[in-house]
């Protein structure tokens, strides 16, 4: 450690969707590393500790060291030649980079998708179907006297959800913090989160939908058969008690995880929960919030939505945005073998996608932007090393509750940002294509004659 | 004879902290290649902590180390595995038109692996 | 800023300068209207064309957190209404809540060059400015929601009026807002804090606060006037949409006591009740509202007309949205913002045979036709609440063409018309000059935008050239030329260039000591750090600070992040 230390106050941690902005970072300026991250959770501490400057090539082309500029040229050539380019990732980068990526997809007539499709994508689909009553996290802190966690393990995946936002903090109308709240946890197994709950409801695997639907029926005053217990593992008495508490509280909140979305029923599960929260508003105030994973996955949803009208899985091949999950989502595009090139930004599908999708990635030219080496960068034709957002570069990120924050970087990186690399690729592609690519048949010179000949 | 169980994929804080360090070595690979299993199931299958099991789905298979959990924490017939390269091997590409592959509550065949056969 | 340009032989409508359909040249250089340009300047032959300043939308919902939720929740409306990319412009999707690019381009293709987003919670300012960055061509600003702000409530409750004013100025400045906005004052606190209750009258107590909407509204009118803002406090009254709400609206206007106040989408606040009945269908009280506005020059309003067809109700008035959801069924979005606001979104269809919808449509027209001062009763549909901005050409035709209006009236619920004076107003038709006032010169003047809404020397060169046509809907739907900041954006109905547009905002001065009052509140009740709250200049790119009468703040405040 050197003596050249500085402190960056009120920095933002982008590891998970909590995006806590109260980090006080001690930076060893000479060593290019963060030696202390005050207020960070265990995940945040690791995030800050492990992102020093590694000695990596600026770019690798077919495994050979290259400059960023040479990588940009190669990447632009690959993308401009491709007939079905797929752009994917984007949840661990800034909105500024995401914005350029969507523009590049539009220019190419390609497809863009984010890690949302394999995270809370089904909740996005559910939202499109039924809407959502939701809130910024401060409302939970200030008002929520009942919180139901469903299908998630925040103690391990979002540790400060409990301590900073939802369970223990004191708020305007919750003067005693934890004591003023009823905490319910619903899951198929006991986890590190279970001890935080006053009431633990253990449901049988694959029965979340049935439990949620039974709760909806009870909220509306309908009868539910006691055989619900055989199907779901939860007794009618427990459900009735829950409903009574839900109607009695002043401000209730559901925080739900991928136990609902990555499971049989997917968007039906999320929609059932969102609809339950909506129904409860006839009696008292209720909100629901998907607990989002990556640091800026919520920003990705927002950027793709405001630019295209759709949150993820968007195809531009006809000259305008089209949305169709299952068709334009990455796992499907790859598993079907459709894409003929892929641009992956800040994501590692080769280590968490289903096997058939990974197999296709190995067959096509892949371009990767990542601060670290990953399984995906290993199989890439062009692999860029980029600076880490929030640690080396500034920009905008959205917390899981859609609150936008500006990052305060701790120390500079020799590597370019994702935004810079993507902008350079886009500008080069624009030259190669002569502007935005128009879909075939979009502007025929003499339509009738051309068709006849 | 292999036996059918239900596999739940998920996150853990160790998986989270180790992936930040780097995904190509060390703790991350250790964490994502260990499956949690109910202790009674393990006893019945003759498995101890650290024993190897092979999980198989129609899509693929993976050999993992197992670790016991009490029944109150993890019911019989349920397995838990942190997401990573090995959980990927078991997942199918079909998303039922949603974009989301199934990674929780997968039906898997479980088969003990004799010690010498382990990787 | 483009090469010099001379528009010749056009019939010019420039009400701010008293020009009523005179054929004369308009010269442009460096993005501004000038006296003259060199003889070799590019010329546009505007023979047969009507020349007007670019349109100014004083109240619409086009960017920010609630708008993006409204986009996301209606994929079905994007599918069949797409915006194709061209070599120079981006693609997008439409419906009543278009994507950002489609919003900018579509406003431009109607001849609009400025639009004000009317409701942004302070915590959503950064998001709104990010969307503005991707909203091309038009200049834009936003009104920041302050009428349900709990710190401001505390200061007011404790009678700390000077600090209240400084805090208001601080909020306007650090969020880069254009004007303060009140929405159903007190309503969100009742909704979030009192089991989904609402405010029903100006003297209701606001939840746990020792305050009433009456006191809150009066305080904001006072403070906004004292700050010398270019646009006064912009008020969405209590009881929007409720039968009999006219009394609340009139009382609210009286609270101004001669000081400036702007009443938003006043059509939605002009409903009477049948005498002697506690629950009844609404009736029209447009005459009472129009008369009050006509005789009180301190008051201005935008109409918030309803147009039949698809709309999206999106509002900071969360209890209102829930009421609409209970009527309409279907989807409902609610979004609470800590310490600042509520929000509700409901896709909604106005139907000509439904009594209430037909009544609302008629009241909007009545208000226009009864107005005696077009400079103070200006054009809006509260896009997309009363209808999309894409319906503006049709609304213009309804005002200009009484025969067309008569045909349309024949098709709506007649019982509703019985409760209005619309049939008595057949003789009234708007002229092109008046249309230029309610869609351009008037809104610009009410907003305090001295360089907009007119074609005098020094004005921004935002110009629209329409082809004269008896069918005014057709005429206003597709200008042949649109010039923004002196650049030719639309030529012969085609996009020739892309353009960024500017962010318009204010920066009223405040005593820096007010941050010592605000910061502790943040530590206790917000979940973001005070230091990370102020929006820094990097979100503005092209922007313009519109001066206040009081001296403007000199610099970005100390709390702002400086990356």
């Amino acid at each position: 450690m050197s003596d050249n230390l500085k402190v960056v106050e009120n920095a933002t941690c982008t590891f998970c969707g909590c995006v806590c902005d109260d980090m006080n970072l001690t930076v060893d300026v000479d060593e290019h590393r963060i030696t202390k991250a005050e207020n960070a959770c265990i995940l945040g501490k690791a995030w800050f500790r492990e992102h020093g400057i590694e000695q990596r090539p600026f770019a690798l082309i077919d495994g050979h060291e290259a400059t960023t500029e040479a990588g940009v040229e190669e990447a632009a050539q690959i993308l401009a030649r491709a007939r079905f380019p797929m752009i994917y990732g984007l949840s661990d980068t800034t909105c500024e980079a995401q914005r350029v990526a969507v523009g590049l997809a539009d220019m190419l007539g390609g497809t863009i998708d984010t890690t949302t499709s394999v995270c809370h994508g089904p909740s996005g689909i559910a939202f499109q179907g039924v809407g959502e009553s939701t809130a910024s996290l401060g409302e939970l802190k200030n008002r929520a006297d009942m919180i139901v966690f469903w299908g998630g393990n925040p103690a391990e995946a979002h540790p400060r959800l409990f301590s900073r936002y939802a369970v223990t903090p004191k708020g305007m109308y919750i003067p005693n913090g934890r004591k003023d709240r009823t905490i319910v946890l619903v899951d198929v197994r006991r986890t590190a989160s279970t001890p935080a709950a006053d009431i633990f409801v253990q449901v049988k695997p694959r029965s979340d939908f049935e439990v949620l639907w039974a709760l909806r029926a009870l909220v509306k005053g309908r009868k539910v058969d006691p055989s619900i217990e055989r199907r779901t593992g939860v007794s009618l008495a427990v459900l009735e008690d829950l409903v009574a508490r839900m109607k009695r509280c002043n401000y209730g909140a559901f925080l739900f995880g991928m136990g609902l979305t990555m499971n049989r029923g997917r968007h039906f599960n999320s929609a059932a929960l969102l609809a339950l929260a909506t129904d409860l508003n006839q009696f008292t105030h209720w909100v629901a919030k998907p607990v989002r994973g990556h640091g800026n996955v919520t920003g990705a949803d927002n950027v793709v939505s405001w630019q295209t009208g759709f949150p993820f899985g968007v195809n531009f091949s006809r000259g305008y945005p089209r949305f169709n999950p299952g068709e334009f989502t990455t796992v499907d595009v790859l598993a079907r073998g459709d894409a003929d090139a892929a641009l992956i930004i800040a994501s590692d599908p080769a280590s968490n996608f289903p096997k058939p999708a990974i197999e296709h990635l190995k067959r096509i030219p892949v371009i990767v932007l990542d601060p670290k080496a990953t399984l995906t960068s290993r199989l890439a034709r062009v692999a860029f090393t980029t600076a880490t957002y929030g640690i080396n570069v500034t920009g905008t990120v959205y917390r899981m509750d859609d609150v936008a924050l500006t990052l305060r970087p701790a120390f500079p990186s020799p590597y370019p940002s994702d935004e810079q690399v993507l902008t350079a690729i886009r500008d080069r592609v624009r030259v190669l294509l002569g502007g935005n690519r128009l879909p075939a048949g979009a502007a025929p010179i003499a339509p009738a004659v051309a068709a006849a000949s | 004879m292999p036996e059918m169980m239900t596999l739940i994929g998920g996150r853990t804080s160790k998986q989270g902290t180790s992936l930040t360090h780097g995904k190509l070595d060390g703790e991350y690979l250790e964490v994502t290649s260990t499956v949690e299993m109910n202790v009674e199931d393990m006893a019945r299958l003759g498995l101890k902590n650290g024993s190897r099991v092979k999980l198989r789905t129609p899509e693929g298979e993976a050999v993992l180390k197992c670790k016991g959990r009490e029944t109150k924490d993890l019911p019989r017939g349920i397995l838990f595995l942190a997401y990573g390269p090995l959980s990927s091997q078991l997942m199918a590409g079909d998303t039922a038109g949603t974009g989301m592959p199934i990674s929780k509550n997968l039906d898997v065949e479980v088969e003990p692996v004799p010690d010498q056969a382990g990787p | 800023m483009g090469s010099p340009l001379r528009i010749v032989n056009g019939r010019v409508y420039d009400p701010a300068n008293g020009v009523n359909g005179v054929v004369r040249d308009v010269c442009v250089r460096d993005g501004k209207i000038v006296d003259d340009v060199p003889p070799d300047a590019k010329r546009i032959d505007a023979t047969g064309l009507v020349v007007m300043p670019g349109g100014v939308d004083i109240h619409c919902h086009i960017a920010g957190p609630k708008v993006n939720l409204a986009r996301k929740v209606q994929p079905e409306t994007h599918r069949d209404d797409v915006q194709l990319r061209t070599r120079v412009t981006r693609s997008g999707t439409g419906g009543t809540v278009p994507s950002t690019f489609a919003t900018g381009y579509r406003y431009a293709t109607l001849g609009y060059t400025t639009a004000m987003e009317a409701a942004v919670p302070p915590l959503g300012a950064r998001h709104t400015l990010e969307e503005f960055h991707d909203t091309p061509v038009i200049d834009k600003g936003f009104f920041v929601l302050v009428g349900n702000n709990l710190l401001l409530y505390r200061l007011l409750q404790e009678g700390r009026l000077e600090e209240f004013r400084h805090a208001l100025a601080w909020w306007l400045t650090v969020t880069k807002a254009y004007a303060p906005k009140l929405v159903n004052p007190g309503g969100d606190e009742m909704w979030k804090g009192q089991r989904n209750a609402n405010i029903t009258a100006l003297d209701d107590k606001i939840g746990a606060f020792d305050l009433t909407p009456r006191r809150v509204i009066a305080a904001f009118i006072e403070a906004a006037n004292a700050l010398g803002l270019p646009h006064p406090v912009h008020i969405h009254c209590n009881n929007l949409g409720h039968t009999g709400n006219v009394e609340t609206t009139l009382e609210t206007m009286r609270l101004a006591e001669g000081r400036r106040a702007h009443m938003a989408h006043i059509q939605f606040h002009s409903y009477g009740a049948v005498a002697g009945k506690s629950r009844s269908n609404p009736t029209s009280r447009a005459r009472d509202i129009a008369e009050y506005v006509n005789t009180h020059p301190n008051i201005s309003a935008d109409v918030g007309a309803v147009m039949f067809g698809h709309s999206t109700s999106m509002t900071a008035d969360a209890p209102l949205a829930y009421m609409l959801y209970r009527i309409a069924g279907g989807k409902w979005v609610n979004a609470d913002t800590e310490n600042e606001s509520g929000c509700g979104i409901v896709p909604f269809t106005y139907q000509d045979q439904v009594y209430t919808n037909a009544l609302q449509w008629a009241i909007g027209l009545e208000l226009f036709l009864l107005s005696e001062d077009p400079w103070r009763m200006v054009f809006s549909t509260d896009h997309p609440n009363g209808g999309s901005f894409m319906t503006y050409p049709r609304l213009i035709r309804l005002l200009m063409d009484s025969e067309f209006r008569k045909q349309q009236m024949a098709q709506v619920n007649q019982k509703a018309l019985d409760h209005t004076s619309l049939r008595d107003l057949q003789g009234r038709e708007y002229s092109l000059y008046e249309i230029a006032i309610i869609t351009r010169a008037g809104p610009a003047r009410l907003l305090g935008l001295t360089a907009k809404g007119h074609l005098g020397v020094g004005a921004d060169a935002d110009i629209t050239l329409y082809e004269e046509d008896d069918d005014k809907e057709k005429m206003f739907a597709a200008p042949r030329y649109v010039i923004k900041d002196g650049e030719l954006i639309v030529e012969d109905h085609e996009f020739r260039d892309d353009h960024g547009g500017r962010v318009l905002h204010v920066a009223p001065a405040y005593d820096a000591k007010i941050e010592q009052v605000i910061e502790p509140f943040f530590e206790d009740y917000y979940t973001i750090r005070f230091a990370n709250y102020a929006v820094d200049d990097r979100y503005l790119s092209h922007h313009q600070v519109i001066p206040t009468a009081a001296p403007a703040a000199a610099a970005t405040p100390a709390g702002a992040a400086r990356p």
Side-chain angles (χ1 to χ4, degrees):
Chain A
M1 197 199 282
S2 75
D3 296 331
N4 191 4
L5 300 180
K6 72 164 180 176
V7 175
V8 180
E9 291 186 335
N10 302 306
T12 295
C13 173
T14 53
F15 182 81
C16 83
C18 285
V19 193
C20 300
D21 70 333
D22 59 345
M23 303 290 125
N24 292 329
L25 305 177
T26 305
V27 184
D28 186 326
V29 179
D30 295 341
E31 297 277 317
H32 305 292
R33 52 189 314 120
I34 294 162
T35 57
K36 192 175 161 206
E38 192 185 296
N39 292 337
C41 68
I42 177 173
L43 297 166
K45 284 196 160 66
W47 167 257
F48 287 114
R49 184 181 63 235
E50 300 292 353
H51 279 94
I53 300 298
E54 297 175 22
Q55 294 300 314
R56 289 186 60 206
F58 279 82
L60 288 169
I61 301 175
D62 286 324
H64 302 296
E65 271 198 56
T67 60
T68 302
E69 292 70 25
V72 165
E73 180 63 28
E74 181 68 15
Q77 294 285 351
I78 289 168
L79 292 170
R81 267 198 311 270
R83 295 171 56 84
F84 198 136
M86 180 82 221
I87 302 180
Y88 174 75
L90 294 165
S91 55
D92 272 325
T93 191
T94 61
C95 290
E96 287 77 0
Q98 292 163 352
R99 178 190 278 158
V100 178
V102 184
L104 178 58
D106 194 4
M107 180 183 287
L108 288 164
T111 304
I112 191 154
D113 187 33
T114 75
T115 65
T116 282
S117 68
V118 295
C119 161
H120 267 292
S123 303
I125 297 171
F127 174 83
Q128 292 175 330
V130 301
E132 175 181 87
S133 175
T134 188
S136 74
L137 291 170
E139 295 288 20
L140 274 51
K141 168 186 154 101
N142 285 329
R143 298 180 193 273
D145 55 350
M146 181 167 184
I147 297 183
V148 180
F149 293 93
W150 199 305
N153 181 8
E156 296 208 57
H158 301 83
R160 295 186 83 211
L161 197 56
F162 284 174
S163 58
R164 189 168 191 233
Y165 305 107
V167 176
T168 53
K170 295 175 182 175
M172 189 175 287
Y173 300 106
I174 307 290
N176 306 306
R178 178 68 185 84
K179 272 185 258 164
D180 291 340
R181 291 190 174 92
T182 303
I183 305 295
V184 180
L185 200 124
V186 185
D187 206 343
V188 295
R189 62 184 183 112
R190 277 183 186 271
T191 66
S193 300
T194 314
D198 299 304
I199 300 170
F200 176 58
V201 180
Q202 190 160 5
V203 299
K204 286 187 185 169
R206 304 186 183 93
S207 68
D208 297 277
F209 182 86
E210 288 81 351
V211 175
L212 287 162
W213 220 250
L215 287 170
R216 287 194 74 194
L218 292 171
V219 166
K220 285 173 182 279
R222 308 275 168 80
K223 276 208 157 48
V224 171
D225 195 89
S227 66
I228 186 80
E229 182 169 3
R230 265 204 319 279
R231 175 70 190 84
T232 66
V234 186
S235 74
L236 185 55
V238 166
L239 295 175
E240 283 171 342
D241 174 62
L242 273 180
V243 167
R245 289 171 188 272
M246 286 170 172
K247 288 184 176 178
R248 209 159 54 225
C249 76
N250 279 316
Y251 191 113
F254 290 103
L255 290 167
F256 63 105
M258 289 186 286
L260 291 184
T261 63
M262 286 185 168
N263 199 349
R264 169 184 167 270
R266 299 177 178 90
H267 52 294
F268 289 96
N269 299 334
S270 299
L273 186 138
L274 296 177
L276 172 60
T278 295
D279 294 345
L280 282 163
N281 275 282
Q282 249 184 290
F283 303 93
T284 186
H285 201 80
W286 270 87
V287 298
K289 189 86 239 158
V291 179
R292 304 304 307 269
H294 292 285
N296 196 26
V297 68
T298 305
D301 282 14
N302 272 299
V303 172
V304 178
S305 292
W306 82 55
Q307 292 208 1
T308 73
F310 307 112
F312 61 94
V314 177
N315 173 281
F316 291 98
S317 64
R318 289 198 186 156
Y320 56 86
R322 285 186 299 158
F323 168 72
N324 195 13
E327 185 177 11
F328 303 130
T329 35
T330 315
V331 168
D332 306 85
V333 166
L334 295 177
R336 273 198 312 267
D338 283 351
D340 60 353
L343 169 60
I344 314 280
I345 300 119
S347 178
D348 186 19
S351 79
N352 55 41
F353 266 21
K355 193 175 157 189
I358 298 171
E359 294 302 319
H360 187 66
L361 273 181
K362 292 175 181 165
R363 289 193 286 267
I364 60 174
V366 172
I367 303 151
V368 170
L369 279 65
D370 206 298
K372 300 243 178 198
T374 64
L375 289 179
T376 312
S377 75
R378 285 224 171 145
L379 60 75
R381 172 80 58 82
V382 185
F384 293 95
T385 304
T386 51
T388 306
Y389 79 136
I391 290 180
N392 311 126
V393 289
T394 183
T396 309
V397 297
Y398 285 62
R399 211 163 67 175
M400 65 169 81
D401 58 352
D402 291 321
V403 171
L405 289 157
T406 307
L407 299 173
R408 295 173 188 268
F411 57 90
S413 163
Y415 300 106
S417 66
D418 293 331
E419 183 191 4
Q420 287 169 325
V421 173
L422 289 169
T423 302
I425 293 173
R426 181 201 62 193
D427 290 348
R428 182 62 185 140
V429 167
R430 180 184 280 143
V431 171
L432 293 172
L433 298 179
N436 295 330
R437 174 185 275 157
L438 298 182
I445 296 159
V449 179
S453 63
Chain B
M1 269 300 285
E3 147 166 4
M4 295 304 292
M5 291 195 189
T6 300
L7 174 71
I8 300 170
R11 293 205 184 106
T12 69
S13 50
K14 263 209 167 152
Q15 173 231 15
T17 56
S18 60
L19 74 81
T20 305
H21 177 72
K23 286 180 165 182
L24 299 178
D25 54 23
E27 195 180 18
Y28 175 77
L29 293 181
E30 172 76 21
V31 169
T32 57
S33 60
T34 303
V35 64
E36 292 180 12
M37 191 185 289
N38 177 280
V39 285
E40 295 172 31
D41 287 340
M42 279 175 61
R44 196 180 62 255
L45 294 170
L47 297 167
K48 297 190 299 258
N49 277 342
S51 299
R52 285 164 200 280
V53 286
K54 183 185 280 181
L55 305 188
R56 188 183 297 118
T57 65
E59 202 55 51
E61 59 184 43
V63 174
L64 302 123
K65 275 200 291 194
C66 61
K67 183 178 158 194
R69 296 287 306 272
E70 296 298 327
T71 303
K72 70 174 172 54
D73 298 330
L74 192 67
R76 282 191 295 274
I78 309 284
L79 304 170
F80 177 82
L81 174 60
Y83 296 133
L86 291 178
S87 65
S88 284
Q89 294 297 310
L90 303 170
M91 289 161 62
D94 179 49
T95 72
T98 65
M100 170 67 86
I102 288 283
S103 60
K104 292 189 192 287
N105 299 337
L106 290 173
D107 291 321
V108 294
E109 289 179 12
V110 183
E111 190 176 9
V113 178
D115 276 348
Q116 63 274 24
Chain C
M1 284 294 210
S3 43
L5 181 67
R6 180 186 290 270
I7 301 164
V8 299
N9 295 330
R11 188 177 297 281
V12 178
Y13 290 87
D14 181 12
N17 295 302
V19 179
N20 184 1
V22 179
V23 175
R24 59 155 67 172
D25 292 0
V26 176
C27 296
V28 172
R29 194 174 56 219
D30 296 331
K32 297 283 182 186
I33 307 286
V34 293
D35 258 336
D36 202 3
V37 286
D40 61 345
K42 180 181 163 78
R43 293 164 85 88
I44 290 178
D45 181 3
T47 307
L49 302 185
V50 162
V51 182
M52 287 188 183
V56 178
D57 198 336
I58 196 171
H59 185 114
C60 59
H61 300 275
I62 55 170
K66 72 176 184 313
V67 175
N68 219 24
L69 289 169
R71 273 186 200 109
K72 276 196 255 188
V73 83
Q74 300 183 84
E76 68 279 9
T77 67
H78 303 320
R79 286 177 67 91
D80 58 354
D81 181 19
V82 298
Q83 180 87 19
L84 285 160
R85 69 174 169 271
T86 69
R87 285 273 178 214
V88 292
T89 59
R90 291 282 301 272
S91 73
T93 54
T96 56
V97 193
S99 64
T100 52
F101 294 103
T103 297
Y105 298 138
R106 288 180 178 196
Y107 260 114
T109 53
L110 292 184
Y112 271 75
T113 49
T114 302
M116 287 290 168
E117 158 59 52
V120 172
L123 207 48
R126 202 173 267 117
H127 177 164
T128 305
L129 291 166
E130 282 218 293
E131 289 198 22
F132 277 175
H133 177 279
D134 287 348
T135 305
V137 187
I138 58 174
D139 291 344
K140 51 255 156 184
F142 68 85
F143 305 154
V144 69
L145 293 161
V146 286
N148 283 281
N149 182 303
L150 300 190
L151 174 58
L152 291 172
Y153 276 9
R154 283 196 172 184
L155 295 174
L156 193 56
Q157 177 177 259
E158 291 161 21
R160 298 156 71 181
L161 293 180
E162 198 175 330
E163 287 166 291
F164 174 84
R165 193 172 68 245
H166 285 299
L168 174 61
W170 179 85
W171 249 297
L172 288 163
T173 299
V174 304
T175 59
K176 317 291 189 197
Y178 193 78
K181 172 80 181 292
L182 310 185
V183 172
N184 185 16
D188 286 330
E189 184 58 19
M190 300 300 289
W191 170 251
K192 297 189 288 191
Q194 308 286 323
R195 307 177 77 93
N196 297 352
N198 195 5
I199 291 290
T200 60
L202 286 181
D203 294 314
D204 283 1
K205 185 171 176 296
I206 300 173
F209 290 87
D210 183 20
L211 286 175
T212 61
R214 181 186 301 279
R215 193 152 156 228
V216 170
I217 296 165
F220 277 106
I221 292 172
E222 166 74 33
N225 277 277
L227 290 172
L229 301 174
H231 184 59
V233 64
H234 197 99
I235 305 173
H236 159 146
C237 295
N238 300 104
N239 281 330
L240 186 151
H242 288 270
T243 296
N245 65 10
V246 66
E247 301 304 338
T248 305
T249 312
L250 290 167
E251 265 187 273
T252 302
M253 291 194 282
R254 285 183 206 116
L255 285 175
E257 294 177 335
R259 293 164 302 191
R260 282 283 290 113
H262 181 88
M263 314 304 288
H265 38 67
I266 202 163
Q267 176 277 129
F268 287 109
H269 304 273
S270 303
Y271 307 150
V274 177
K277 283 195 185 173
S278 61
R279 287 172 66 90
S280 73
N281 274 332
T283 61
S284 171
R285 295 283 296 276
R287 277 192 183 277
D288 304 81
I289 293 292
E291 189 194 321
Y292 190 94
V293 176
N294 284 338
T295 55
H296 291 81
N298 62 311
I299 298 293
S300 59
D302 60 273
V303 168
V306 153
M307 300 295 281
F308 298 119
H310 293 302
S311 73
T312 303
S313 284
M314 56 161 96
T315 175
D317 191 340
L320 164 74
Y322 188 68
M323 181 183 84
L324 288 174
Y325 161 65
R326 301 286 291 167
I327 293 169
K331 308 176 196 183
W332 171 60
V333 176
N334 172 74
D336 305 336
T337 302
E338 61 209 60
N339 310 310
E340 295 179 352
S341 184
C343 163
I345 300 162
V346 180
F348 199 85
T349 301
Y350 289 99
Q351 301 171 65
D352 54 16
Q353 289 307 313
V354 171
Y355 174 93
T356 304
N357 297 171
L359 185 88
Q360 292 173 302
W361 176 82
I363 292 174
L365 296 176
E366 277 184 285
L367 288 165
F368 279 119
L369 300 174
L370 290 164
S371 165
E372 290 166 7
D373 187 353
W375 293 91
R376 291 188 294 110
M377 180 69 81
V378 300
F379 194 90
S380 80
T381 63
D382 186 14
H383 159 86
N385 285 279
S388 160
F389 65 80
M390 297 302 282
T391 66
Y392 290 178
R394 169 162 286 235
L395 179 53
I396 289 173
R397 186 175 182 198
L398 284 166
L399 300 179
M400 294 191 73
D401 182 343
S402 63
E403 194 52 41
F404 175 68
R405 195 191 315 144
K406 207 167 141 190
Q407 288 165 18
Q408 299 296 305
M409 284 165 61
Q411 292 174 25
V412 311
N413 184 305
Q414 296 299 304
K415 283 206 182 84
L417 290 193
D418 295 344
H419 287 281
T420 74
S421 57
L422 196 54
R423 294 194 189 103
D424 306 332
L425 297 166
Q426 274 304 348
R428 175 88 170 94
E429 280 184 346
Y430 269 67
S431 64
L432 278 174
Y433 189 71
E434 288 171 307
I435 292 295
I437 297 172
I438 62 174
T439 60
R440 288 140 160 90
R445 184 175 288 179
L446 297 179
L447 288 165
L449 291 169
T450 55
K452 301 224 178 267
H454 72 100
L455 298 173
V457 169
D460 292 341
D462 301 346
I463 311 166
T464 311
L465 282 69
Y466 297 102
E467 291 160 353
E468 284 197 72
D469 199 307
D470 287 340
D471 180 342
K472 300 304 181 212
E473 182 175 358
K474 192 172 151 204
M475 172 176 167
F476 281 95
R480 189 189 294 174
Y481 297 93
V482 177
I483 294 157
K484 178 75 187 70
D485 291 323
E487 306 266 7
L488 193 52
I489 304 298
V490 173
E491 182 177 17
D492 287 329
H493 308 292
E494 299 268 342
F495 278 101
R496 289 290 173 249
D497 206 353
D498 209 347
H499 187 80
R502 270 170 290 168
V503 175
L504 308 171
H505 64 110
V506 297
Y510 57 86
D511 183 346
K513 284 206 286 287
I514 195 64
E515 295 191 351
Q516 292 163 24
V517 175
I518 300 170
E519 185 166 359
F521 185 87
F522 265 72
E523 304 309 319
D524 289 342
Y525 302 124
Y526 272 86
T527 52
I528 85 168
R529 300 288 291 174
F530 179 73
N532 290 331
Y533 188 77
V535 180
D536 62 273
D537 289 349
R538 61 194 290 275
Y539 289 92
L540 293 171
S541 49
H542 305 295
H543 72 115
Q544 188 180 351
V545 180
I546 305 301
T548 49
T556 305
R562 284 175 215 272

